Each structure stands twice: as structure tokens, then as C-alpha cells.
Amino acid sequence: MPTSDAATPVVSAFYDRFPYPGDPLQDGPPPGYNWRWCIDSASAFVVGSLVPRLEAKPRPWRILDAGCGTGVSTDYLAHLNPGAEILAVDISAGALDLARERCRRSEASAQVSELRIEQRSLLDLEGEGPFDYINSVGVLHHLREPAAGLRALAALLKPGGLLHLFLYADGGRWEIHRSQRVLTELGVGSGAEGLRLGRELFSSLPPSNRLRRHHEQRWAIDTAADANFADMYLHPQETSYNLQRLMAFVASADLQFAGFSNPEVWNPARLLSGELLERAQALPLERQWALIEDLDPDISHFEFFLSKGPLGCTSWQSDADLLAAAGERNRCLWGWPGVALLDADMAPLDLGADGLALMKGLEAAPAGTALGALDLGWSAGHQAAVARRLVEQRVLLPVLPAAA
């Protein structure tokens, strides 16, 4: 396997010792869903609409899982995107053994047109693109040169395609960084001894110590698995960002920031109210984000979408445009069919009787039927209002009318 990043050998050896993520293997499909790995849901979230399907078949997405680890993301990508072509790569042979076994037990290959799981660096994939969607969660910040990794992924991305990234944030890793530096200074290493002494550090510190309290209150459950503890505190290569450096990082690869994939975190209403909220909401969007970064020091990561070139987004403010569109149900819902659901983020959602009626009417109609053509006995204005609310709830994914 070619080595293109200076950190590759040591990082590969680390993940051979501690395959990550440490989610257990199980038979059958992965539990629940993650809408960020359902390309229809992610695309509709970013641009507000989907392109029509050909002959009512699944959209033939080409997907790259760049740094798939033990295959958790690969498994979801296969089950949430039937008919797709998927290439999953990682530098750790040990992690890939688990990825292959995970996907074998879930029958992931049967869901897609092609699934390849290969030991390769994301920096050495020339000739494999272009991809409609690239998933690279928790990977680039473990390269010695993250910018080179981002440029490599940008070169593989189809114009108009989406790249989903997860990178560490400075603010919420204040205590983690100090713990990492202490363990490095003490020379505990990144193997079994480091794991033992790392855990001993938190049990040895006084109960009132900020590092111990932060670990016990915030991360103890997440790091119960040895692989997760090692990934957080013993990793030999890590970079983190603040918002300003993050945006410069994105611009360095000539990519467009297309939105956070956890938008609720970046909503000022989560933290402010009254006149302070009004003042915050009057700021430009990037200054609102900077405000939230300062207000919430617990933000430990950035998760977001990037695109190659600007995306044509649809707001569906026009009743006529919305009623002329077709639609599909978001597959990332729990409890369908029913009024009471869990939404794409697993939060309770009440469709209401009219919302349920519209969605049932849509599913009973031939594929491609315009929303305004559904025979629900409603006025056009009411039909548009119900449809718009469903779009806002991310239950209904609008589909652009087919080109004449």
C-alpha cells in the first residue's frame, strides 16, 4: 500500500492495536439510521430538493467512505442507499478485517450494486472518482498534512457532489488536549500500558480536579471501550480547529461550505432568548456561528457538508412551485406509518392528521406525481401549506419536476 502522509505508518499501527470505532458486531442491518449517510436525505437537506429518479429506480449514487475504520459508516451507507456503488478505504488492516466481517453479517453487499472494502490511503485514490458523495468522518485531523487530504478528496468529488466531514474543535477539547499532553510527557505510549496508565490518571487525580471531572461527566461512557479511550487520549497524531481556521481550511481546497450537519447546535435560540437572541439573529450567519463558538465551550467537533462549486438551492416559498414538484418520504423516520414519529434526528415528531393524509396519498400515487395532483379534497393553498410544513419537518423530500 503506498504511503502518502508522514503519519500513515504510526496511525495505521495505532488502529491495528485499537480498531475504531469500537461498535460491536451484530447480525442484520445496523440499528436505526443516520440521515447524514442517506444520500437522498443529505442532498435534500443541503439543496432543498432531489433530482427525479429514472424509471422509479433508486438513484445510482457513487459513494466513497474515506477512512471507514471498522465499517460502521460503510454498513449504514450500504443499507441507506440501495443500489449505490460504494468504495470504502482505510489504512488499518485490523480495522478493515472488522469492517468486512460487519458488512458480511449485515448482508450489506446485497443492498448495493457494488461494495469494495480496500486497504488504501485516501491520498492514493487517483482514477477512482468522481463520486456523488464522500464521507470522511474523523479522518483528516489524523493526517500530518490535513490540507493535502482535503485536496485529494476534492479532486475525487463530482461537481455538485457533497463531501461530509467531521473534524475536531479546539474549544470542547481543552481538557482532552491537556490530558493528552500529560500522558505524552509521562511517556506512557499508545499501547496496552498507555491504556492502563491513561485510565489510572483519571482515577488518581483529586475528585475536584477539572480534567477528572470533565472526563467523568462528559466522556466516561463514550470511552468505556478501550478503542474509544485510546482514540481520544492516546492518539499519536491529531489536529483541531476553530471556526476561523476551519473556513480557511475549506477555502484551501477551493470547496464551498454547504452547511453544518448538526444545525441545531449552531442555532442561537439554543442558548439565547429575548433581546439578546434578536441581536444575535440580526448578525450575518458566520458571525452567529462565531458567537455560538464563544458561548458554548463544550462544542468538541465540527460536522459539515462541502460542495464542489455553488449549489442551486430551492426554498419552496412559491405555492405553485411546490405543488408542481413531486415528493418522496424521508427514509430516516421511525414509526412510519403513523402520526407520532421519530424524525431524522430521532426527536419526537407529530405529523398531524393532514400531514399523515398527504404522505399516505403521496405513497399511494404513481412515482413522480406532483404534490398538487394528489386528490385530497383540499384547496390548493391548504395543500401547499401542509406540504411546506412536511418539508420543514424533513418528512417530505421535494423532487424537482422532470425536464421536458
Side-chain angles (χ1 to χ4, degrees), residues 55-362:
E55 301 175 357
K57 295 179 180 179
R59 294 176 181 84
W61 301 117
R62 298 196 72 236
I63 301 169
L64 171 63
D65 197 8
C68 66
T70 60
V72 173
S73 54
T74 309
D75 200 18
Y76 277 100
L77 286 165
H79 283 271
L80 292 173
N81 300 285
E85 295 178 26
I86 300 177
L87 171 61
V89 301
D90 201 90
I91 58 174
S92 167
L96 287 172
D97 286 342
L98 289 171
R100 294 187 183 101
E101 177 64 10
R102 184 186 309 279
C103 290
R104 184 194 68 79
R105 290 176 60 171
S106 77
E107 299 184 348
S109 293
Q111 314 303 315
V112 294
S113 62
E114 180 180 70
L115 174 58
R116 290 186 288 151
I117 301 176
E118 300 179 358
Q119 186 180 9
R120 300 169 69 179
S121 166
L122 63 84
L123 294 160
D124 298 306
L125 297 177
E126 185 177 353
E128 287 288 0
F131 293 97
D132 299 287
Y133 189 89
I134 299 176
N135 179 68
S136 192
V137 171
V139 178
L140 294 183
H141 53 223
H142 291 316
L143 296 177
R144 189 73 53 83
E145 298 183 31
L150 185 61
R151 290 193 299 271
L153 294 180
L156 296 167
L157 188 62
K158 180 180 178 180
L162 292 179
L163 168 57
H164 184 230
L165 293 182
F166 173 114
L167 297 173
Y168 291 144
D170 289 344
R173 294 181 72 81
W174 189 95
E175 293 86 354
I176 295 169
H177 288 159
R178 280 154 179 76
S179 301
Q180 290 171 339
R181 290 198 293 269
V182 166
L183 293 171
T184 298
E185 182 66 20
L186 294 175
V188 305
S190 58
E193 183 177 44
L195 185 66
R196 176 179 62 81
L197 291 171
R199 292 197 183 279
E200 186 176 317
L201 171 68
F202 293 112
S203 62
S204 298
L205 289 169
S208 60
N209 176 269
R210 175 170 171 171
L211 301 187
R212 175 173 176 170
R213 285 189 291 108
H214 181 263
H215 171 75
E216 292 176 345
Q217 294 170 9
R218 182 88 189 275
W219 300 114
I221 294 176
D222 287 349
T223 59
D226 287 347
N228 294 7
F229 185 95
D231 188 70
M232 179 167 288
Y233 293 110
L234 305 178
H235 204 290
Q237 178 64 47
E238 176 181 312
T239 300
S240 63
Y241 298 84
N242 62 19
L243 264 173
Q244 185 178 17
R245 295 198 311 276
L246 179 73
M247 294 305 171
F249 179 64
V250 170
S252 73
D254 198 24
L255 293 169
Q256 309 289 317
F257 188 83
F260 290 107
S261 59
N262 57 346
E264 68 286 346
V265 170
W266 300 95
N267 183 350
R270 179 175 69 89
L271 301 170
L272 299 173
S273 60
E275 183 182 350
L276 291 172
L277 177 58
E278 292 175 4
R279 287 173 176 262
Q281 290 174 331
L283 295 171
L285 202 53
E286 288 198 22
R287 289 178 61 188
Q288 291 186 38
W289 298 339
L291 192 73
I292 293 166
E293 182 180 41
D294 284 336
L295 286 171
D296 189 354
D298 283 338
I299 294 176
S300 60
H301 71 272
F302 300 107
E303 56 178 273
F304 54 97
F305 294 107
L306 302 178
S307 68
K308 179 180 284 190
L311 298 172
C313 298
T314 311
S315 63
W316 303 112
Q317 295 305 304
S318 162
D319 285 3
D321 288 346
L322 182 55
L323 293 177
E328 297 176 14
R329 175 175 54 84
N330 190 340
R331 296 196 299 280
C332 294
L333 301 170
W334 195 270
W336 177 261
V339 172
L341 306 176
L342 293 182
D343 69 10
D345 291 309
M346 296 270 182
L349 174 66
D350 186 353
L351 287 188
D354 285 354
L356 179 62
L358 190 148
M359 293 307 299
K360 283 189 170 182
L362 179 64

Side-chain angles (χ1 to χ4, degrees), residues 366-378:
T369 299
L371 296 171
L374 298 176
D375 186 12
L376 300 172
W378 300 340

Side-chain angles (χ1 to χ4, degrees), residues 31-74:
Y33 45 79
N34 183 327
W35 68 266
R36 299 156 191 85
W37 292 331
C38 176
I39 316 307
D40 288 349
S41 297
S43 296
F45 170 79
V46 172
V47 302
S49 61
L50 294 172
V51 297
R53 292 186 291 172
L54 297 177
E55 301 175 357
K57 295 179 180 179
R59 294 176 181 84
W61 301 117
R62 298 196 72 236
I63 301 169
L64 171 63
D65 197 8
C68 66
T70 60
V72 173
S73 54
T74 309

Side-chain angles (χ1 to χ4, degrees), residues 5 7-16 91-92 142-143 235-237:
D5 184 80
T8 294
V10 67
V11 173
S12 176
F14 176 81
Y15 282 124
D16 284 344
I91 58 174
S92 167
H142 291 316
L143 296 177
H235 204 290
Q237 178 64 47

